Amino acid sequence: MQVEPLNYCAHAIEDLQKLERALRPVALQSARTVLRLADLLRRSVKFILPNCCDLIDPEEMKQAHLDLFRLPFPVVALEAPWQREAGPDQIGEFKQLPATKRIALCWEASAAHEVMPGLNEILQRFPQGGVFVVPIYWGPSFDSWNIAIGGAFLPYDNEIVTVTDSHQILPASRIAHEAMAEAGRKLGKQFSAEPFWLLREHFEQAVAQYGSVDKAYAQIMLDTHDEIMVLIQVCSVLNCANVGTADVAAPEALNKKRRAKGKQPFFSYKVLELSDERRAPGAGRGSGSHGAPRMHLRRGHLRRLQEKVVWVRPSMVNANSEHGIVAKDYAVKSTRAPGH
């Protein structure tokens, strides 16, 4: 099956540059943040994912997934089409707009990447580090790529908690959780995620609209929910011993025309693929030059067996290859010390 690049990032960068120019006269701080985000997007390692990143059933998410949560590169853009049954226009008092194309822009907290002054101060509370994730999205109602008013920080040292552990859940997260429950949305597992604003002027408008800072942060948590789950799924799956990546090269001939017209060139991409078990250990992982991987993962789940975690019975796209469908348990690397 030929894997076609989505090219979301190139189009998003062009739209963010337009947004920066529009914001500059009226919201200079937000304009500068948009420009830095566009630069991060340009420098990111880009992945193509299946529709809605349907790799792991949300109800199957366990502590093992959070234990395997490590960003594969310092800056990553995760692209996925988002075609599913239309959800509610409102979740509680929070308006929802359909977004049929998604980018989860993710970067490790470090001095090398700070899109807004002071954002890395969160490391004073989470010295073990973590990842910032920001939703960048396209929808038919606005016909352009946009940035959410904020994002979320996921610390690396993270644990699943229950809703009853109220002392561990931020007020904004509780508000978002209750709004989703009232709207009949499936609720994922709870874990530490710290909302932050990026577009100051837009955040202040949200505070004025809801009459509450916590509700404005709850809006950010709702807007970021899907991208957080995408990030966790991709990180945990990439830690499977049998999962590697293949490269989809940028189209040089088409890029030559785009450069001539002053457009953002398209980028190279990585796709998740099942490693060929008949190769030598490690062969074919993290690299590759073909544009049509033999298979790539659709859905599966993790299982912990004593001192290891296994990837259980994933199904494959393009399973009509000479190797057929593979359905078995696969060992993955565990990041936790024995006994934890």
Side-chain angles (χ1 to χ4, degrees):
M1 181 181 69
Q2 183 69 33
V3 176
E4 295 292 339
L6 300 173
N7 295 320
Y8 289 172
C9 283
H11 297 305
I13 289 170
E14 292 175 339
D15 283 350
L16 295 187
Q17 289 172 336
K18 295 176 184 176
L19 177 61
E20 187 273 336
R21 290 193 293 270
L23 288 173
R24 200 183 307 161
V26 294
L28 184 59
Q29 184 171 332
S30 291
R32 289 171 176 166
T33 299
V34 168
L35 205 58
R36 294 188 187 106
L37 287 170
D39 183 59
L40 269 187
L41 200 57
R42 186 178 291 105
R43 293 187 282 125
S44 65
V45 177
K46 299 158 184 70
F47 284 77
I48 303 172
L49 302 174
N51 184 47
C52 300
C53 189
D54 193 19
L55 297 173
I56 297 167
D57 187 336
E59 296 181 1
E60 293 290 338
M61 200 184 91
K62 299 179 174 65
Q63 182 63 43
H65 296 91
L66 291 181
D67 293 344
L68 295 170
F69 168 52
R70 287 294 183 275
L71 207 61
F73 301 96
V75 186
V76 169
L78 308 172
E79 297 187 3
W82 216 266
Q83 302 290 340
R84 61 170 35 159
E85 291 184 13
D89 295 332
Q90 294 276 140
I91 295 182
E93 60 185 297
F94 304 100
K95 187 173 179 60
Q96 300 293 292
L97 294 174
T100 55
K101 301 176 184 179
R102 309 283 188 94
I103 301 171
L105 176 60
C106 315
W107 68 94
E108 281 191 323
S110 70
H113 307 113
E114 191 168 36
V115 299
M116 188 176 66
L119 195 58
N120 284 340
E121 290 178 6
I122 198 167
L123 291 176
Q124 296 175 11
R125 294 170 49 212
F126 300 99
Q128 74 277 14
V131 176
F132 294 104
V133 54
V134 171
I136 301 176
Y137 56 92
W138 183 96
S141 59
F142 25 85
D143 195 27
S144 65
W145 286 92
N146 290 272
I147 300 172
I149 61 175
F153 174 81
L154 273 69
Y156 277 142
D157 187 7
N158 215 325
E159 293 185 356
I160 289 178
V161 298
T162 63
V163 181
T164 56
D165 294 330
S166 58
H167 66 285
Q168 298 188 52
I169 300 176
L170 295 174
S173 296
R174 187 179 302 107
I175 293 169
H177 185 278
E178 291 171 354
M180 290 179 70
E182 291 173 5
R185 290 275 298 271
K186 283 188 177 181
L187 303 176
K189 304 293 175 59
Q190 298 293 295
F191 46 86
S192 179
E194 301 272 330
F196 60 89
W197 56 263
L198 279 173
L199 307 181
R200 178 176 181 176
E201 295 81 3
H202 292 74
F203 180 73
E204 291 172 348
Q205 291 175 8
V207 173
Q209 176 186 347
Y210 296 122
S212 164
V213 171
D214 285 335
K215 286 186 177 181
Y217 278 125
Q219 175 74 71
I220 291 175
M221 294 304 297
L222 288 170
D223 291 343
T224 315
H225 175 268
D226 291 336
E227 284 73 16
I228 289 173
M229 296 307 298
V230 167
L231 171 62
I232 292 173
Q233 289 184 72
V234 170
C235 287
S236 59
V237 168
L238 275 173
N239 271 280
C240 293
N242 64 308
V243 177
T245 61
D247 293 339
V248 178
E252 189 52 44
L254 182 56
N255 275 347
K256 186 176 180 179
K257 296 178 181 178
R258 290 183 65 83
R259 291 188 188 95
K261 295 179 180 179
K263 294 184 176 181
Q264 169 64 50
F266 291 142
F267 298 99
S268 297
Y269 284 87
K270 293 185 180 295
V271 292
L272 304 178
E273 71 164 358
L274 185 70
S275 298
D276 191 333
E277 294 181 63
R278 297 180 302 179
R279 298 178 186 174
R285 298 200 60 206
S287 63
S289 59
H290 55 81
R294 176 172 63 89
M295 298 180 182
H296 63 275
L297 298 178
R298 180 66 80 181
R299 173 171 277 197
H301 64 275
L302 301 179
R303 179 182 295 163
R304 183 177 291 278
L305 299 175
Q306 296 180 344
E307 298 304 327
K308 66 179 180 179
V309 182
V310 295
W311 177 255
V312 181
R313 296 188 183 279
S315 61
M316 311 301 166
V317 175
N318 199 25
N320 292 325
S321 71
E322 62 176 329
H323 304 296
I325 297 176
V326 180
K328 58 188 292 186
D329 292 356
Y330 300 101
V332 302
K333 302 171 184 176
S334 175
T335 59
R336 280 197 151 194
H340 284 260

